């Protein structure tokens, strides 16, 4: 029993440390190709394989600065608060059938959605504690954005939970059918879009907005603390992509034996992460008013309509 728990904890930690770095390296390469940026293609030789290592060494060598007027305990704690919820979320995401999940709880979806929303605390802590007007504006933008998009995220997740009749993530995958790709498509689009806003990825990066706010709530961070906040962003990409794959794309279900289910989960997660990276390059940043309008006038009505439809169908069946 203890050995099994230790193996699962080690696997979750490995995924937490490795997958975000893979996403970061992939982003370097895709953006280099899409934007004709030759620099990231040279470090280390073949296809710039050492660029990620170079970035890590660069962050480690930078001086760890804390503003004199900052609330130092809160300033230093913010990166940990940004990372910890995503580590806990990975515990509940099933990689495959059977025991290929860190923790299989009946309320898994409820816990995951609640943990994803904790990110707003890290944004507020970082922005407020930095004692900088630009960081404070970025933090308030982030708080308004995260609080708004939490509603469509929850409604979209509730739709698939009603369809499956359970809040357990592995059970949702077991109940999934291919026709859900059409039936739950609006909920999937809402969930993925709201997830992008939750992790503040372009085009929803108004809390950072380097052309307006220097670097938003991250402005005063340097060195390893800045690297940890960036790592939180890439872990967020993995978490949102994996949750979308598990809830709406069938998770480990695919052609071939069930023993290869973990491969299908990773492939679907990777494909969605590539879409997240593509959006960063291809889509311009939305204004703050556009971000709120999309949420309240677009995603929330669609998510509510989808939830009503799903409930009606579930009751009819």
């Amino acid at each position: 029993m203890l050995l099994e728990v230790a193996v699962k904890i080690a696997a979750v930690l490995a995924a937490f440390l490795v997958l975000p770095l893979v996403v970061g390296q992939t982003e370097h390469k895709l953006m280099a190709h899409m934007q004709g940026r030759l620099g990231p293609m040279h470090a280390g030789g073949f296809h710039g394989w050492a660029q990620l290592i170079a970035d890590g060494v660069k962050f480690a060598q930078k001086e760890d600065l804390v503003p004199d007027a900052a609330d130092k305990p809160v300033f230093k704690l913010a990166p940990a608060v940004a990372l910890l919820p995503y580590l806990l979320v990975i515990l509940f995401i099933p990689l495959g059938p059977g025991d290929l999940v860190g923790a299989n709880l009946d309320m898994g979806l409820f816990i995951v959605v609640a943990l994803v929303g904790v990110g707003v605390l890290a944004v507020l802590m970082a922005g407020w504690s930095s004692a900088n007007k630009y960081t404070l504006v970025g933090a308030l933008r982030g708080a308004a954005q995260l609080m708004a998009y939490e509603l469509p995220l929850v409604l979209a997740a509730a739709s698939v939970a009603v369809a499956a009749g359970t809040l357990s993530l592995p059970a949702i995958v077991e109940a999934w059918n291919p026709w859900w790709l059409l039936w739950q498509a609006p909920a999937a689009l809402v969930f993925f879009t709201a997830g992008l806003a939750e992790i503040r990825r372009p085009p929803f990066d108004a809390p950072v907005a380097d052309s307006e706010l220097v670097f938003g709530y991250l402005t005063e961070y340097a060195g390893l603390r800045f690297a940890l906040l960036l790592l939180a962003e890439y872990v967020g990409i993995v978490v949102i992509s994996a949750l979308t794959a598990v809830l709406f794309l069938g998770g480990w279900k695919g052609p071939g034996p069930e023993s290869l289910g973990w491969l299908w989960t990773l492939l679907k997660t990777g494909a969605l992460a590539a879409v997240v990276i593509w959006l960063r390059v291809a889509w311009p940043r939305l204004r703050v008013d556009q971000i709120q309008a999309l949420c309240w006038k677009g995603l929330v009505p669609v998510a509510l309509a989808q939830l009503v439809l799903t409930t009606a169908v579930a009751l009819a069946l």
Side-chain angles (χ1 to χ4, degrees):
M1 182 64 180
L2 290 177
L3 178 60
E4 181 181 354
V5 172
V7 169
K8 287 186 175 182
I9 292 175
V12 169
L13 286 174
F16 178 75
L17 295 173
V18 173
L19 292 179
L21 298 181
V22 172
V23 172
Q25 181 78 338
T26 303
E27 183 169 64
H28 271 126
K29 302 312 168 187
L30 288 181
M31 291 181 66
H33 283 296
M34 295 177 72
Q35 297 178 328
R37 298 167 59 194
L38 299 180
M41 308 302 291
H42 288 273
F46 176 72
H47 214 67
W49 66 269
Q51 182 63 48
L52 194 64
I53 299 174
D55 288 342
V57 173
K58 175 187 69 176
F59 284 126
Q61 289 179 334
K62 285 189 174 182
E63 187 176 359
D64 183 16
L65 298 174
V66 178
D68 290 336
D71 187 327
K72 292 178 176 57
V74 178
F75 184 88
K76 295 177 180 179
L77 187 61
V81 175
L83 276 171
L84 185 59
Y86 292 132
L87 173 60
L88 297 176
V89 168
I90 293 176
L91 279 171
F92 301 99
I93 298 177
L95 186 60
D99 293 330
L100 291 180
V101 59
N104 184 6
L105 300 181
D106 293 337
M107 298 288 288
L109 180 58
F110 175 82
I111 296 172
V112 162
V113 171
L115 288 171
V116 169
V118 175
V120 66
L121 294 178
V123 173
L124 284 172
M125 290 169 65
W128 176 81
S129 66
S130 297
N132 181 307
K133 292 180 180 179
Y134 289 110
T135 63
L136 182 58
V137 172
L140 293 177
R141 284 185 179 186
Q145 181 172 308
L146 269 65
M147 292 175 68
Y149 278 84
E150 191 72 15
L151 180 58
L153 186 82
V154 171
L155 290 174
S159 175
V160 74
V162 170
T166 179
L167 290 173
S168 168
L169 291 178
I172 289 175
V173 178
E174 292 288 356
W176 184 86
N177 285 297
W179 73 287
W180 284 19
L181 293 172
L182 293 177
W183 180 34
Q184 295 296 321
L189 181 61
V190 169
F191 185 89
F192 189 66
T193 305
L196 288 178
E198 289 274 330
I199 60 176
R200 302 166 298 283
R201 285 286 299 187
F204 302 99
D205 58 338
V208 175
D210 53 291
S211 59
E212 306 166 29
L213 303 176
V214 186
F215 210 55
Y217 67 95
L218 300 172
T219 298
E220 298 292 352
Y221 281 90
L224 288 177
R225 288 196 180 92
F226 181 74
L228 290 176
L229 287 167
L230 285 185
L231 179 63
E233 177 181 327
Y234 288 116
V235 179
I237 295 175
V238 173
V239 165
I240 293 300
S241 300
L243 285 175
T244 305
V246 166
L247 293 175
F248 300 100
L249 301 181
W252 65 74
K253 290 188 175 180
E258 198 173 66
S259 59
L260 294 178
W262 60 271
L263 180 60
W264 284 110
T265 302
L266 291 178
L267 288 175
K268 293 172 185 178
T269 301
L272 290 169
V275 173
V276 175
I277 296 169
W278 170 76
L279 287 171
R280 175 177 179 177
V281 180
W283 204 270
R285 179 185 300 126
L286 297 176
R287 299 193 312 265
V288 176
D289 62 305
Q290 292 174 327
I291 290 174
Q292 294 294 326
L294 175 62
C295 176
W296 297 109
K297 297 179 181 179
L299 299 187
V300 170
V302 171
L304 280 171
Q306 179 65 40
L307 181 58
V308 171
L309 174 63
T310 302
T311 304
V313 172
L315 291 174
L317 295 177

